[in-house]
Amino acid sequence: MKKIRKWKFISHSGKFKSLLLIMKLTIILTLALTFNVSALVYSQNGKLNLSIQGETLRDVLKSIEKQSTYRFFFSDDLKALDNRVSINAHDAQLEKVLTDVLSNTTSTFKLMENNIVIISPFNQMQQTKVTGIVTDAATDEPLIGVNVVVDGTTIGVVTGSDGSFNIDVPSSATTLSISYIGYTSEKVSISGQANINVKLKSDVKQLD
């Protein structure tokens, strides 16, 4: 005689409901987190709210960094950082805030990519464009890859295939350093000049 097996169907409705509830809660929490992050990003990239009385400019910049994505770069020797300022700003643009706090100083600012802001003396921020051509003094052939550097800084370019260069120079700079392997380095005055042609002489010692 064959035994008849009885299949028992166990109801999983209770477990299924619990699983659905967990999934719903997960979705809700994920959405809530997404909205909070979006609100934070909007706040950081939006306008500024400041109420500061008699604090140093350095502290003001720190306060701006705390409530935004802006990051400031400056020299610790910058005198303006120790100036005490007062400002009340509500939903203000960064440019307006910085213009106000720097109004009684000799410093200014420049907004770069990725919310980077450079604070520096006004005369260093101003730039002039200097162009020129570097050639061999003996042959007048253009020299390719010559280093052209603003003396005393890290600002520099190299000459192109035609020996030409184009460099932005701070208004406080006075000299360009021109150097090339196998040639004698030169220092050229740029005061009041927008175009400079330089002839480099071969350096026999370097060639040897």
Side-chain angles (χ1 to χ4, degrees):
M1 180 182 288
K2 292 183 179 181
K3 292 182 179 180
I4 299 175
R5 295 181 179 179
K6 295 182 179 180
W7 296 93
K8 295 181 180 180
F9 293 94
I10 300 173
S11 174
H12 295 283
S13 60
K15 293 183 178 179
F16 186 68
K17 288 181 179 178
S18 297
L19 181 60
L20 282 178
L21 180 59
I22 293 173
M23 291 175 65
K24 287 180 179 180
L25 288 174
T26 302
I27 293 172
I28 292 172
L29 289 174
T30 302
L31 289 174
L33 179 60
T34 302
F35 288 140
N36 284 336
V37 171
S38 298
L40 178 60
V41 171
Y42 176 78
S43 174
Q44 289 178 334
N45 289 303
K47 297 181 179 180
L48 301 171
N49 293 292
L50 296 167
S51 181
I52 295 174
Q53 300 296 321
E55 294 187 18
T56 64
L57 176 60
R58 190 190 301 270
D59 291 332
V60 173
L61 299 182
K62 288 180 180 179
S63 296
I64 294 175
E65 286 186 335
K66 286 180 180 179
Q67 66 169 279
S68 71
T69 58
Y70 294 111
R71 292 296 174 264
F72 295 95
F73 288 85
F74 46 77
S75 170
D76 284 333
D77 296 331
L78 190 64
K79 294 181 179 180
L81 296 174
D82 296 323
N83 285 14
R84 295 197 172 273
V85 298
S86 298
I87 184 170
N88 286 297
H90 178 67
D91 288 343
Q93 295 286 354
L94 175 72
E95 291 84 349
K96 176 65 167 61
V97 171
L98 292 181
T99 298
D100 288 345
V101 297
L102 292 171
S103 61
N104 294 322
T105 73
T106 57
S107 297
T108 187
F109 67 92
K110 185 173 184 179
L111 182 60
M112 312 295 286
E113 293 182 356
N114 300 321
N115 284 356
I116 293 174
V117 185
I118 297 175
I119 307 291
S120 70
F122 186 79
N123 61 351
Q124 291 184 14
M125 192 68 74
Q126 288 184 312
Q127 294 181 330
T128 56
K129 191 176 294 295
V130 175
T131 61
I133 298 176
V134 182
T135 58
D136 184 302
T139 65
D140 282 334
E141 292 293 324
L143 296 177
I144 305 170
V146 178
N147 293 309
V148 180
V149 180
V150 178
D151 199 32
T153 76
T154 57
I155 302 171
V157 296
V158 295
T159 56
S161 59
D162 58 352
S164 66
F165 65 89
N166 187 323
I167 187 170
D168 290 324
V169 179
S171 59
S172 58
T174 59
T175 309
L176 288 181
S177 292
I178 317 293
S179 61
Y180 194 51
I181 296 175
Y183 289 80
T184 302
S185 297
E186 296 282 348
K187 288 186 180 293
V188 182
S189 174
I190 56 176
S191 298
Q193 299 186 71
N195 185 267
I196 297 173
N197 294 325
V198 182
K199 295 182 180 295
L200 292 183
K201 296 179 180 179
S202 298
D203 189 330
V204 178
K205 291 182 180 180
Q206 285 192 38
L207 292 175
D208 290 339

